[in-house]
Amino acid sequence: MSLTNASPLDAAQAAKSASHILATLPASARNDALTAIHTGLAAARDDILAANARDLELARAAAADGRLSQSLVSRLDLGKAGKWDDMLKGILDVRDLPDPVGRVTLRTRLDHGLDLERVSCPIGVLLIIFEARPEVIANIASLAVKSGNAAILKGGKESTESFVAISRAISAALETTRVPNGAIQLVTTRDVIPELLAQDRYIDLVIPRGSNELVRYIKSNTKIPVLGHADGICSMFLEHTADPQMAADVIVDSKTSYPAACNSLETLLVEQSALTTILPRVAEALAAKGVELRCDPKSKAALQDFNLSATIVDAVPSDYDTEFLGLTLAVKTVADLDEAVQHINAHGSKHTDAILTSSKELAEQFMSSVDAAGVYWNASTRFADGMRYGFGTEVGISTNKIHSRGPVGLEGLMIYKYKIRGAGHVTAVYGEGEGKKRFLHESVPL
Amino acid sequence: MSLTNASPLDAAQAAKSASHILATLPASARNDALTAIHTGLAAARDDILAANARDLELARAAAADGRLSQSLVSRLDLGKAGKWDDMLKGILDVRDLPDPVGRVTLRTRLDHGLDLERVSCPIGVLLIIFEARPEVIANIASLAVKSGNAAILKGGKESTESFVAISRAISAALETTRVPNGAIQLVTTRDVIPELLAQDRYIDLVIPRGSNELVRYIKSNTKIPVLGHADGICSMFLEHTADPQMAADVIVDSKTSYPAACNSLETLLVEQSALTTILPRVAEALAAKGVELRCDPKSKAALQDFNLSATIVDAVPSDYDTEFLGLTLAVKTVADLDEAVQHINAHGSKHTDAILTSSKELAEQFMSSVDAAGVYWNASTRFADGMRYGFGTEVGISTNKIHSRGPVGLEGLMIYKYKIRGAGHVTAVYGEGEGKKRFLHESVPL
């Protein structure tokens, strides 16, 4: 890893050259580099935490003056319980995943002695633009090295001291490995984002991690493909055969376990015939968590006898196109599954949408009809997460659909979607701490 | 299929609605629609060929005045031997391919009763913008229906009468099927391309089929992802252990079997130690086919005793960044494989590049190091084609690299490349006619 004051053009060219070497390294060389990064960061713990403390001090002062949000200060803190250890463990988790490079996914004999293979290979050079959280640098560096991609990292200025300390440790560690120095670069010069976004000749993919505004700005200002999503407007359809307690549990988890997350619930679509049978219990559970409900007239009427007036507000049309990122939920009545699907396909953000029902048939119909990267049955939208999916970690969640290379026939016209079939599972019960459930992450034969 | 004078916005909205229905139809319904299209076109043969004759008459007049190229007139002619039958056969070939929708490509048990699946599904709405060839409409409609994608087609104005006749037949055929009318739309109003390119809310993917200028214009004028390639600068590296006769055969096929194609050879990189041993035989074979060689000083010197002066021109630097699309080949001397790879990665278009060598080790190194959608060993670059790959047909050849959706971990950072291992195979010997070789297209266990 190099900490560079090079121009964006020079950084991008160096990354491209490094990517060509990285793409040919065997898995053992890439894994050795991850071991070295882990060892190097562990040894530099005190230096890095001291640098992080200096960032935090400035950030706290800025927050006291109202120039910075308290939540940003909180995301900045590498000393928070478990954060440092999780960061280090993540590096080894990624190292121990199967090698994604060189997988043969199609093999066709075209003629005697003439064989065609489709083989996985790295994309090339990634540009990752992110805001505060300093541990992201270790996640991204791990995924990039393991997958044989070079990466240029541009972090938010609030974390500069932390980034520099981490990057020094990673750089020293990589010196002892076969991964070239230019493969992971940290750009710290100011105001370089527009210039980086212009390097479409050398950079293959931009991955923004941050606010919707950051993502939108990037999408509108580069010819390079952007992987990610701007909005996360996730919807849940409450069908009348849903189990009421399961519905309350799943909806509460989807809305309240981390309201600022992109996979949190923003819109609840209630089947007309569930308005009086299931919605009240759900609404009471949400109210107990302090959630404000923005209701259409029918759902408001269904709740009028339940002493919930303090938490109910009349919905306006824009509520159904809003990512609240807080304890607010838009509620709308729909006649049936078809209307729910139409609403989601028109107003959703193609991120993650779910159905609560006891009917397998309706669940399958919902999952086929909704156009989204994740479509779930009886499970919380918050399962949309690389760690929860068993991917070790993630570089981001993509609502992109395009994925083809070489001659494109039928297969190149396809993309995948993720389906989950649960029984009321919620995310909040999973974790590493005491009393928490662990994921199985078992592979199941296709 | 509807033949529409609707506004681009209305057409895009109708296609999006249709795509949501199409995505849920079973394979049998999509296959029945393809059978109906085949039957309908066969029955309308005389009408369509008469319409095509009217297009041809206008085009020939325009060509006589110099307002249109002769090659465009030739591409327009549906009556050319075999073209009509190939078009009809292509529809049934696509119908008979395995269903690409609903394939499970990952299945993970996250917890007891909580299973994750990754399933293939259609992209949504495709916009295909193409120039003359009227048979493309049948290819595209077949691939779209089979893959469950809606499609908006905008053809070149020279083929208007043919398109209208074909689209009427397809439209009548689809009336009897479960595929909704808006699923395939032909837009015939003029000057609608900029407005169509602005419908990024409804259109998921643009596929331009035509000149480099058309593709570049589209890439610079839309936020919708574009599938395809602008340039096709394919290179071949002639290593000194290559078999000289094989080298001559493969290079002649790559350069001359269809010089205007994107998968034709544009640059020949000659290893220094092959200059006097192999290059002369290759150059003589190319000269016999009328190919002009744009040589660097070393390759020119190597050929000076071979009476080739009429076909040799001094290369200028821009020749190594040019898609000649005709009987011209840039020739450059390189020290070794590393220099060849560096040249290709810097000057190629990431389409298809090949090595001629008898060393398996060097071939594998080349195929790992070159960043392109196709990397071949001892085979013609012209194998880069959907039909030749066994895909039935193709919507285009993509040099895109991006393909991810949902939480993106390692696998989402990968893309595939196509490798071919041959023994001097050339494309010109394959075909449907008498004396031609047939492809085997056998599936081989991974």
Side-chain angles (χ1 to χ4, degrees):
Chain A
M1 178 170 213
S2 59
L3 174 65
T4 180
N5 284 302
S7 75
L9 173 63
D10 291 343
Q13 284 178 329
K16 188 57 119 186
S17 296
S19 79
H20 293 138
I21 295 166
L22 194 52
T24 63
L25 290 182
S28 58
R30 287 175 275 119
N31 290 342
D32 287 349
L34 291 178
T35 306
I37 290 173
H38 179 266
T39 309
L41 286 174
R45 182 179 186 277
D46 292 348
D47 283 351
I48 294 168
L49 290 182
N52 185 242
R54 292 193 294 277
D55 280 335
L56 266 175
E57 197 177 335
L58 284 174
R60 287 204 180 103
D65 296 354
R67 287 175 288 127
L68 213 63
S69 76
Q70 199 55 54
S71 69
L72 195 145
V73 176
S74 155
R75 287 201 294 276
L76 203 59
D77 187 359
L78 261 183
K80 252 202 310 210
K83 216 171 190 183
W84 175 264
D85 292 339
D86 283 353
M87 181 179 98
L88 285 198
K89 182 171 175 297
I91 298 167
L92 299 186
D93 284 350
V94 169
R95 181 197 64 187
D96 295 339
L97 290 172
D99 185 14
V101 179
R103 286 192 192 165
V104 178
T105 55
L106 176 78
R107 185 177 286 151
T108 306
R109 182 152 293 163
L110 301 186
D111 193 3
H112 300 289
L114 183 68
D115 283 357
L116 169 72
E117 279 184 2
R118 187 174 59 207
V119 182
S120 68
C121 62
I123 290 171
V125 176
L126 317 177
L127 168 62
I128 297 105
I129 299 175
F130 51 113
E131 295 180 333
R133 305 191 300 169
E135 74 276 18
V136 166
I137 204 172
N139 294 343
I140 301 278
S142 307
L143 284 170
V145 168
K146 179 80 180 183
S147 63
N149 286 288
I152 300 173
L153 309 172
K154 172 75 185 93
K157 67 177 188 307
E158 294 79 10
S159 324
T160 299
E161 295 255 1
S162 313
F163 287 146
V164 169
I166 293 174
S167 118
R168 274 212 193 98
I170 296 180
S171 185
L174 286 184
E175 282 298 324
T176 65
T177 75
R178 291 173 64 191
V179 170
N181 202 265
I184 309 283
Q185 294 183 62
L186 179 73
V187 178
T188 56
T189 44
R190 289 183 163 227
D191 303 326
V192 290
I193 291 180
E195 277 179 82
L196 283 168
L197 294 177
Q199 307 303 325
D200 56 313
R201 197 169 155 200
Y202 302 107
I203 297 173
D204 296 294
L205 182 61
V206 184
I207 305 176
R209 289 187 58 146
S211 66
N212 298 356
E213 290 66 37
L214 176 72
V215 177
R216 279 207 200 86
Y217 167 79
I218 288 169
K219 285 196 169 189
S220 304
N221 287 281
T222 186
K223 282 192 206 166
I224 307 170
V226 179
L227 187 155
H229 62 279
D231 297 308
I233 301 182
C234 301
S235 301
M236 177 103 43
F237 172 47
L238 177 58
E239 197 264 346
H240 77 277
T241 66
D243 178 85
Q245 190 56 49
M246 181 196 288
D249 291 347
V250 169
I251 292 167
V252 165
D253 184 79
S254 297
K255 180 68 245 180
T256 69
S257 61
Y258 187 5
C262 60
N263 55 13
S264 290
L265 189 66
E266 307 295 353
T267 300
L268 177 64
L269 300 168
V270 185
E271 193 173 33
Q272 181 131 15
S273 48
L275 280 176
T276 55
T277 54
I278 314 180
L279 180 61
R281 193 191 297 196
V282 170
E284 286 178 329
L286 289 166
K289 292 281 187 175
V291 178
E292 176 190 284
L293 303 179
R294 306 244 172 128
C295 289
D296 69 335
K298 284 181 185 169
S299 60
K300 186 181 177 188
L303 295 173
Q304 67 186 355
D305 299 334
F306 290 87
N307 192 29
L308 293 164
S309 57
T311 62
I312 292 181
V313 174
D314 289 329
V316 294
S318 64
D319 287 334
Y320 302 110
D321 299 299
T322 299
E323 184 177 14
F324 297 106
L325 294 169
L327 290 173
T328 303
L329 180 66
V331 181
K332 184 179 173 160
T333 309
V334 292
D336 55 15
L337 184 138
D338 280 349
E339 191 183 337
V341 168
Q342 278 170 31
H343 178 96
I344 294 170
N345 283 337
H347 297 269
S349 58
K350 308 193 189 323
H351 187 296
T352 303
D353 302 292
I355 182 171
L356 290 160
T357 180
S358 61
S359 162
K360 179 175 162 52
E361 195 190 335
L362 289 180
E364 296 298 330
Q365 193 185 328
F366 178 90
M367 291 193 285
S368 294
S369 306
V370 167
D371 177 17
V375 283
Y376 297 174
W377 174 23
N378 288 349
S380 167
T381 56
R382 301 230 40 252
F383 283 107
D385 174 274
M387 192 282 296
R388 292 179 182 136
Y389 276 15
F391 298 167
T393 182
E394 66 185 28
V395 293
I397 293 184
S398 170
T399 52
N400 298 10
K401 292 175 157 191
I402 308 312
H403 61 108
S404 305
R405 192 181 197 197
V408 179
L410 284 173
E411 202 175 345
L413 291 172
M414 311 309 296
I415 186 72
Y416 44 76
K417 63 167 71 166
Y418 289 99
K419 296 187 177 181
I420 283 187
R421 298 182 178 89
H425 292 73
V426 299
T427 59
V429 298
Y430 295 89
E432 290 296 319
E434 211 174 293
K436 292 283 186 179
K437 292 188 76 180
R438 304 289 183 277
F439 287 95
L440 293 177
H441 286 152
E442 288 169 9
S443 178
V444 179
L446 299 181
Chain B
M1 180 170 211
S2 59
L3 173 65
T4 181
N5 285 304
S7 75
L9 174 63
D10 291 343
Q13 283 178 330
K16 187 57 122 188
S17 295
S19 79
H20 292 138
I21 296 166
L22 194 53
T24 64
L25 292 182
S28 58
R30 288 175 274 118
N31 289 342
D32 288 349
L34 292 179
T35 306
I37 290 174
H38 179 265
T39 310
L41 286 176
R45 182 178 187 278
D46 292 349
D47 283 353
I48 294 168
L49 290 182
N52 185 241
R54 293 194 293 278
D55 281 335
L56 266 175
E57 198 177 334
L58 284 173
R60 288 205 180 102
D65 296 355
R67 286 176 288 125
L68 213 65
S69 76
Q70 200 54 55
S71 69
L72 195 146
V73 176
S74 155
R75 286 201 294 273
L76 203 57
D77 187 0
L78 262 183
K80 251 203 310 208
K83 216 172 191 182
W84 175 265
D85 293 338
D86 283 353
M87 181 179 97
L88 286 198
K89 182 172 175 295
I91 298 167
L92 300 186
D93 284 349
V94 169
R95 182 196 64 187
D96 297 338
L97 289 172
D99 184 14
V101 180
R103 286 195 191 161
V104 178
T105 55
L106 176 78
R107 186 178 284 152
T108 306
R109 181 151 293 163
L110 301 186
D111 193 4
H112 300 290
L114 183 69
D115 283 356
L116 169 72
E117 278 183 3
R118 187 175 60 207
V119 182
S120 68
C121 61
I123 290 172
V125 176
L126 317 178
L127 167 62
I128 297 105
I129 299 175
F130 51 113
E131 294 179 335
R133 305 191 299 170
E135 74 276 17
V136 167
I137 203 172
N139 294 343
I140 301 278
S142 308
L143 284 171
V145 169
K146 178 80 181 184
S147 63
N149 285 289
I152 300 173
L153 309 173
K154 173 75 185 88
K157 66 177 188 310
E158 294 79 11
S159 325
T160 298
E161 296 255 2
S162 313
F163 286 146
V164 169
I166 292 174
S167 119
R168 274 211 194 98
I170 296 180
S171 185
L174 286 184
E175 282 299 323
T176 66
T177 75
R178 292 173 63 191
V179 171
N181 202 267
I184 309 284
Q185 295 183 62
L186 179 73
V187 178
T188 56
T189 45
R190 290 183 162 228
D191 303 327
V192 291
I193 291 179
E195 277 179 82
L196 284 169
L197 293 177
Q199 306 305 323
D200 55 311
R201 196 168 155 200
Y202 302 107
I203 297 173
D204 297 295
L205 181 61
V206 184
I207 306 175
R209 288 187 56 144
S211 66
N212 298 357
E213 289 66 36
L214 176 73
V215 177
R216 279 208 201 87
Y217 167 78
I218 288 169
K219 286 196 169 187
S220 304
N221 286 282
T222 187
K223 281 190 205 168
I224 308 171
V226 179
L227 187 153
H229 62 277
D231 297 307
I233 302 181
C234 302
S235 301
M236 178 100 48
F237 172 47
L238 176 60
E239 197 264 347
H240 77 278
T241 66
D243 177 86
Q245 190 56 47
M246 180 196 290
D249 292 347
V250 169
I251 292 168
V252 164
D253 184 80
S254 298
K255 180 69 245 181
T256 69
S257 60
Y258 187 4
C262 61
N263 55 13
S264 289
L265 188 66
E266 306 295 354
T267 299
L268 176 64
L269 300 167
V270 185
E271 192 173 35
Q272 181 130 16
S273 48
L275 280 176
T276 55
T277 54
I278 313 180
L279 180 62
R281 192 190 299 197
V282 170
E284 285 177 331
L286 288 167
K289 291 281 186 174
V291 178
E292 176 189 285
L293 302 178
R294 305 239 174 134
C295 289
D296 68 335
K298 284 183 186 168
S299 60
K300 186 181 176 187
L303 295 173
Q304 67 186 357
D305 298 334
F306 289 88
N307 193 28
L308 293 164
S309 57
T311 62
I312 293 181
V313 174
D314 289 329
V316 295
S318 64
D319 287 333
Y320 302 110
D321 298 300
T322 299
E323 184 177 14
F324 296 106
L325 293 168
L327 290 174
T328 303
L329 180 66
V331 181
K332 184 177 173 162
T333 308
V334 292
D336 54 17
L337 184 139
D338 280 348
E339 191 183 338
V341 167
Q342 278 170 32
H343 178 95
I344 293 170
N345 284 337
H347 297 268
S349 58
K350 308 193 189 322
H351 187 298
T352 304
D353 302 290
I355 182 171
L356 290 160
T357 179
S358 60
S359 160
K360 178 174 163 51
E361 195 191 335
L362 289 180
E364 296 297 332
Q365 192 186 330
F366 179 90
M367 292 193 284
S368 295
S369 307
V370 167
D371 178 17
V375 283
Y376 297 174
W377 174 24
N378 288 349
S380 168
T381 56
R382 300 230 42 251
F383 283 107
D385 174 275
M387 192 280 296
R388 292 178 182 136
Y389 276 16
F391 298 167
T393 181
E394 67 184 27
V395 294
I397 293 185
S398 169
T399 52
N400 298 9
K401 291 175 159 191
I402 309 313
H403 60 108
S404 304
R405 192 180 197 198
V408 179
L410 283 176
E411 202 173 346
L413 291 173
M414 310 308 295
I415 185 71
Y416 44 77
K417 62 168 73 167
Y418 289 100
K419 295 187 178 182
I420 284 187
R421 298 183 179 89
H425 293 72
V426 299
T427 60
V429 296
Y430 296 90
E432 290 297 317
E434 211 174 292
K436 292 284 186 179
K437 293 188 75 179
R438 305 287 184 278
F439 287 96
L440 294 176
H441 286 153
E442 287 168 9
S443 178
V444 179
L446 299 181

